[in-house]
Amino acid sequence: KAGVTQTPRYLIKTRGQQVTLSCSPISGHRSVSWYQQTPGQGLQFLFEYFSETQRNKGNFPGRFSGRQFSNSRSEMNVSTLELGDSALYLCASSLPGTGVGNTIYFGEGSWLTVV
Amino acid sequence: AQSVTQLDSQVPVFEEAPVELRCNYSSSVSVYLFWYVQYPNQGLQLLLKYLSGSTLVKSINGFEAEFNKSQTSFHLRKPSVHISDTAEYFCAVSPTGAGSYQLTFGKGTKLSVIP
């Protein structure tokens, strides 16, 4: 079956703009989470959604937001882009259940460059 | 809160030699432990995980890791590496509480296998 699909794979934006990234989880997976990966900070948790509700949120400013649709697809949005937002954004999905004991599957990521 | 320390940022090793990638964690609650691998320009793939039971866990491609609660460590080992093992390896933890899908990652260790 298809894995976690993220679009677009690569994009370049200008400071001050906003961006929307999309994630389609593995069929049947209802938990979707997002991570930011940068050379300096490494992998950092952004937020996690389950059944269209945000359950957990990392320590990121309010410019970072997300949502989940009824079909479990998710989007994340970053407004007023800054140079430091340049990163690989990874989406992950998992079956619901007793927490992360279920395997979390990652997509290939969306590479965002802010110029 | 949890934190993960990967003691080596880069590990060069000759092909067919053994390797150990070190991981220590800190947490005030019980955690699950994971190793993920990231090949160039790709997302993360789960290598192995410790949830409970036997403290020695193994992957299908020859890696193994041992959970040591007293030393709060989860080191990754392989007795004989191949060129194809060249990648970045991330250790991660997550609280065992139900509904917890948040992973805390280490900074990663780049394994370079030298022919």
Side-chain angles (χ1 to χ4, degrees):
Chain A
K1 60 184 178 183
V4 179
T5 304
Q6 293 187 243
T7 57
R9 288 293 318 279
Y10 305 91
L11 67 166
I12 301 173
K13 290 287 187 178
T14 305
R15 272 182 301 175
Q17 286 186 315
Q18 72 166 14
V19 66
T20 299
L21 308 178
S22 180
C23 173
S24 293
I26 292 172
S27 178
H29 286 194
R30 291 167 59 195
S31 169
V32 174
S33 49
W34 290 88
Y35 291 80
Q36 182 197 63
Q37 185 177 21
T38 60
Q41 298 299 317
L43 282 153
Q44 293 184 287
F45 173 78
L46 279 157
F47 26 65
E48 186 247 341
Y49 288 87
F50 176 74
S51 291
E52 303 177 63
T53 301
Q54 186 181 90
R55 292 200 297 189
N56 292 291
K57 189 177 192 302
N59 188 25
F60 278 82
R63 300 186 297 106
F64 292 81
S65 63
R67 59 177 175 169
Q68 186 181 34
F69 301 95
S70 58
N71 61 359
S72 295
R73 192 176 68 84
S74 177
E75 290 181 347
M76 67 161 284
N77 183 275
V78 188
S79 63
T80 320
L81 284 166
E82 301 176 359
L83 295 179
D85 298 332
S86 295
L88 176 65
Y89 290 88
L90 290 164
C91 174
S93 75
S94 179
L95 286 167
T98 55
V100 80
N102 291 307
T103 300
I104 294 180
Y105 296 87
F106 283 83
E108 303 265 293
S110 292
W111 288 94
L112 170 65
T113 301
V114 182
V115 297
Chain B
Q2 294 79 45
S3 67
V4 178
T5 302
Q6 291 185 242
L7 297 162
D8 305 296
S9 59
Q10 297 190 55
V11 173
V13 62
F14 286 103
E15 192 174 16
E16 297 184 5
V19 69
E20 178 180 78
L21 307 183
R22 297 177 292 170
C23 171
N24 287 88
Y25 70 93
S26 173
S27 176
S28 57
V29 298
S30 296
V31 294
Y32 296 130
L33 298 118
F34 305 82
W35 276 99
Y36 282 85
V37 58
Q38 185 174 37
Y39 298 100
N41 298 318
Q42 293 188 24
L44 297 170
Q45 299 175 29
L46 179 66
L47 193 59
L48 45 75
K49 62 183 177 182
Y50 172 77
L51 304 182
S52 63
S54 172
T55 56
L56 182 66
V57 291
K58 299 184 179 185
S59 73
I60 59 173
N61 58 352
F63 283 95
E64 64 180 35
E66 185 155 23
F67 169 52
N68 187 318
K69 188 173 182 179
S70 63
Q71 297 187 5
T72 59
S73 68
F74 191 54
H75 301 330
L76 181 69
R77 301 183 182 94
K78 189 171 185 180
S80 175
V81 295
H82 302 287
I83 295 290
S84 59
D85 294 325
T86 294
E88 190 159 18
Y89 293 78
F90 293 91
C91 182
V93 301
S94 178
T96 59
S100 175
Y101 285 83
Q102 179 173 346
L103 289 165
T104 299
F105 286 90
K107 295 285 192 181
T109 298
K110 290 185 179 178
L111 174 63
S112 299
V113 180
I114 305 163

